[in-house]
Amino acid sequence: MTTISKFLKKPVSSLFLSVFCGFVTSFIILAITGYSPFEVASSLFNGIFSRPKHIMNVVIKGMPIIFTGISVAFAFKGGLFNMGAEGQFIVGTIASLIAGSIFDLPPFFQVLVVVVFGTLAGTLLGGLTGFLKAKFGTHEVITGIMFNWIALYISNFVVSLKNFHRPNSNSTFPMKDSGFTGLRGNLGFLKDSFFSDILKTEVNVGIIVAIVVAIFVSFILNKTQKGYEICAAGLNAEAAKFAGMNVYKNTIYVMMISGGISGLAAALSITGTSPHSISILAGFENNGFNGLSVALIANNSPIGCIFSGLFFSGLIYGGKSMQSDLKTPSEIINIMMGVIVFFVAVARIFPIIVDRLLKRRQKSNG
Amino acid sequence: MPSKIKISSQYAVQMRGVTKKFNNKKVLSSVDIDIKKGTVHAILGENGAGKSTLMNILYGFYRADEGTIFLNGKIAEIKSPHVAIRNKIGMVYQHFMLIDKFTVMENIILGNEMVNKFGVLDLKKSRNRILEISNKYSLLVDLDAKIEDMSVAMQQRVEILKILYREVDILIFDEPTAVLSPTEIEDFISTIRGFALEGKTVIVITHKLKEIMNSSDKCTIIRSGVNVGTVNISDVDQKELAEKMVGHTVELSAKKTKFTPGNVVFKITDLCVENEKKVLALDNFSLKVRAGEILGIAGVDGNGQRELIDSIACLAKVKSGVIEICGKQIQNTNPCNVLNNGIAIIHEDREKIGLILDYTVAENSMMKNYKLKDFSKNGILKKKFIDKFAKNLINKYDIKPENCINIPARNLSGGNQQKLVIAREISSKPNLLIAVQPTRGLDVGAIEYVHRMLIKERDEGRAIILISLEMDEIMQLSDTISVIYNGCIVGNFDRKMTNEREIGFLMAGGEKNDYNLKIS
């Protein structure tokens, strides 16, 4: 039995158990509300895996939250909680749209300029958060939340500007199509194959960049001198300071890079998928907030964010097919995700519970 | 060893077969102990021997896996500290459990407030009770003072009053003298002797042999979770106790070669530093250290030692004055500059500041020199070189377990963590080595080792500042001794020309001339 508790102490097994508990709990809720858990499970599964198209859609939807997950994970390694990923994503979208509408360059350069603008906007907002933290000690979570709202209203303001606003709609004009990052045109060779229905999706370069960024960030954190400093400051700022590291500067750098990754997510998102424009936002779209959950499930590993991001987007996307097949309420999938995140957050209780059960058994035996 | 004494009401506490495991590791195995009423009973043991765990079980903070506790001859099940207090057992921890912003009175009555029939606090009644107790045991204290404005010794007094207010008969003290000056220790000992005379039972957890000799009637020695014997203090001497504690013969004093100082390496002149409350914590503080010299700074905790270290490390702002290393001024620069000028500091808090516990041993070993070009190329760390560097340190400084380069520093024992810190600091070949409480929380074997290392460095001509609260350590290692009191150096001595009494007198705020008058 001790092997079980040892097994459960490994982070990975706790993670899978958390996910499992999340599913079980949500199926119980479904059963109580009168839906057959098996039907729901099969509908969810089919919604994700039945056709290449669905899988590709999960990947496309997952791309932005993989990025914001990496962004949050990176900041977390540096000891900062990037609650402002949402806002950084929004300003990234705004900057990308503006650049993509104003400039008119050949396709490759246009994409480059749009992406640089989006990334830069996120970098600046993240950097500002970091600067306020380093200089005045303002907590990054507070400023992050405030900047999220500021970004939201700036976005709505931009939509209302005469130059960008499309008449009789609640959105802007789309950006110039030379800035699009869709790959459909390059995948013509798939036309007659089994994968042909991928061409019906908005397949784009985003996921490739996401994987590259995940590997790159992972390399920076684990193999470089800068990464050594960042993690040192994150694990123990006092010790890092004492060892001669400049923790203040680090805070600003880390937030800049983290913000930049969220901005990049936004740029690739708006250039990759329609409508390539911004709409009036009544509330947050949760690209950044979902990143928090993604990073949490990935235990702040950038590579892990790829998988947890896909898992999350699978739930979101598959949840839609549940809704259309079985008429389940849309909230159920949110409950499921919430429960899973909850169990991941408290995953540490599993080994404790097992230990306690073991002890009780020993007592009753002896 | 199993106790042959019968359970009887003559004994305040008797424990039989107490066993406790943490994560499958036995910290106590079948411990028996008998503590007679109206005595002062010391529990001696090295760090991690299990002495605190045993007392925490008695106080109900932990529950034993096996074993029984008898109080006054009757079996007792102590589930929580609450139950312990109801059974008239009180404990004073090493780190006080007081609320800084509350007054003494508020702290004492907290959790045990007297109310009148309308449920309103009856402060007058409480006050009278406290005054009665404090007069009885002459534990005088200003009931309306705030804890944050009091000295550590006074805070301890409040803790004692707190448990007396709860009418306990058995008082447990966990390392009570760690933060007291020599005179305060004397006061403390006479206080607990007074309790014993009153018929109360006092249990003192400690590793300080001398105080046991002065204060206790009996002493139980715990080694690796086993009771290795209870002795009458009148029958033993310090060396015997020490050997029982570690299980082999020990050398209580370190050997040194002749003192041959070189040039002045490090100099502080008229340093003034304010603490967080904007009060001068260092006031015209000056000192000098020569090559090949160990300068011991003796003093009670909180007399400016922390500010001194922080200002040398450039973590605190210096108001005025000069800090000079090899003729170069470094005050108010940054920690990186301090390192580059060859100042290495063995910080007292290895867990929070000396090490990053979640980093591996290898990562910790390069913390001070990762910027050197051997360690990285184009910003990418050279893993092979780093591993070799760490391995070298591990072998040279005998850090255990041997293959620990890739395990987190957290998993090392306290002694090995300290070895790692010392290895790292010494290996940078500094001009000045500052050791702050370098043996805090270490067992006798590790203390011997650390002392040997410091003396070796001194023999090789390094300038060393030793800041310690342990009088014995200062007396054994130092070539010259400066006493710090209230942010000033109040006396400089050649080690050979002074003694513990004189140093202790100055540490407690006495004037140098008064001491000379007193003894002449």
Side-chain angles (χ1 to χ4, degrees), chain B residues 402-420:
Chain B
E402 261 164 66
N403 298 319
C404 61
I405 48 170
N406 286 322
I407 69 170
R410 186 184 292 286
N411 296 357
L412 298 184
S413 70
N416 283 306
Q417 288 178 354
Q418 188 70 350
K419 277 185 188 174
L420 176 59

Side-chain angles (χ1 to χ4, degrees), chain B residues 499-516:
Chain B
N499 57 42
E500 275 178 46
R501 288 193 59 105
E502 187 177 16
I503 303 286
F505 185 74
L506 292 186
M507 275 165 75
E511 296 274 334
K512 201 170 172 181
N513 298 333
D514 288 355
Y515 181 78
N516 294 335

Side-chain angles (χ1 to χ4, degrees), chain B residues 312-340:
Chain B
I312 295 174
C314 287
L315 289 172
K317 217 172 165 300
V318 169
K319 204 174 162 217
S320 64
V322 175
I323 304 175
E324 237 174 303
I325 174 98
C326 303
K328 224 169 132 188
Q329 294 195 11
I330 54 154
Q331 73 275 9
N332 288 335
T333 57
N334 56 56
C336 191
N337 182 45
V338 175
L339 282 181
N340 294 341

Side-chain angles (χ1 to χ4, degrees), chain A residues 223-293:
Chain A
K223 304 279 180 205
T224 66
Q225 194 183 322
K226 201 85 219 149
Y228 178 78
E229 283 180 356
I230 289 169
C231 294
L235 289 168
N236 186 340
E238 289 301 310
K241 243 185 254 173
F242 196 70
M245 301 175 190
N246 192 334
V247 175
Y248 296 117
K249 234 191 234 166
N250 237 347
T251 302
I252 300 173
Y253 283 151
V254 168
M255 282 309 290
M256 278 173 78
I257 295 170
S258 177
I261 297 171
S262 288
L264 176 61
L268 290 171
S269 191
I270 194 172
T271 56
T273 51
S274 57
H276 305 286
S277 64
I278 314 180
S279 304
I280 295 271
L281 297 172
F284 294 117
E285 290 181 307
N286 289 341
N287 285 309
F289 291 134
N290 283 338
L292 295 170
S293 310

Side-chain angles (χ1 to χ4, degrees), chain B residues 344-514:
Chain B
I345 304 177
I346 299 169
H347 198 276
E348 61 177 322
D349 197 340
R350 59 177 167 268
E351 294 188 345
K352 290 213 187 89
I353 295 179
L355 294 170
I356 297 179
L357 291 179
D358 290 313
Y359 261 179
T360 64
V361 171
E363 284 166 332
N364 270 299
S365 71
M366 65 168 184
M367 228 159 90
K368 293 288 166 75
N369 33 19
Y370 71 98
K371 277 185 186 148
L372 301 179
K373 65 170 181 280
D374 285 344
F375 287 81
S376 64
K377 191 176 171 188
N378 304 327
I380 296 168
L381 295 172
K382 291 204 274 196
K383 184 145 177 30
K384 262 192 200 144
F385 180 85
I386 292 163
D387 284 356
K388 215 174 91 193
F389 175 78
K391 242 179 222 152
N392 195 4
L393 284 190
I394 289 166
N395 289 337
K396 200 167 155 200
Y397 294 87
D398 193 30
I399 298 167
K400 294 269 161 54
E402 261 164 66
N403 298 319
C404 61
I405 48 170
N406 286 322
I407 69 170
R410 186 184 292 286
N411 296 357
L412 298 184
S413 70
N416 283 306
Q417 288 178 354
Q418 188 70 350
K419 277 185 188 174
L420 176 59
V421 173
I422 292 174
R424 182 183 69 203
E425 299 304 338
I426 292 179
S427 70
S428 66
K429 303 232 175 303
N431 297 321
L432 171 74
L433 180 67
I434 302 177
V436 191
Q437 295 265 65
T439 56
R440 198 180 77 152
L442 299 189
D443 57 41
V444 174
I447 290 174
E448 263 187 282
Y449 177 88
V450 171
H451 286 178
R452 263 207 324 273
M453 283 324 294
L454 288 178
I455 289 171
K456 190 170 152 246
E457 287 303 305
R458 168 249 196 204
D459 289 349
E460 283 172 11
R462 208 167 309 294
I464 297 175
I465 297 178
L466 170 70
I467 301 177
S468 179
L469 309 178
E470 305 270 346
M471 175 70 95
D472 291 342
E473 189 163 74
I474 295 277
M475 297 310 281
Q476 271 179 38
L477 297 181
S478 311
D479 298 307
T480 46
I481 299 175
S482 297
V483 182
I484 185 170
Y485 177 75
N486 223 348
C488 301
I489 293 288
V490 289
N492 291 302
F493 301 93
D494 187 329
R495 165 66 187 94
K496 294 207 181 71
M497 312 295 282
T498 184
N499 57 42
E500 275 178 46
R501 288 193 59 105
E502 187 177 16
I503 303 286
F505 185 74
L506 292 186
M507 275 165 75
E511 296 274 334
K512 201 170 172 181
N513 298 333
D514 288 355

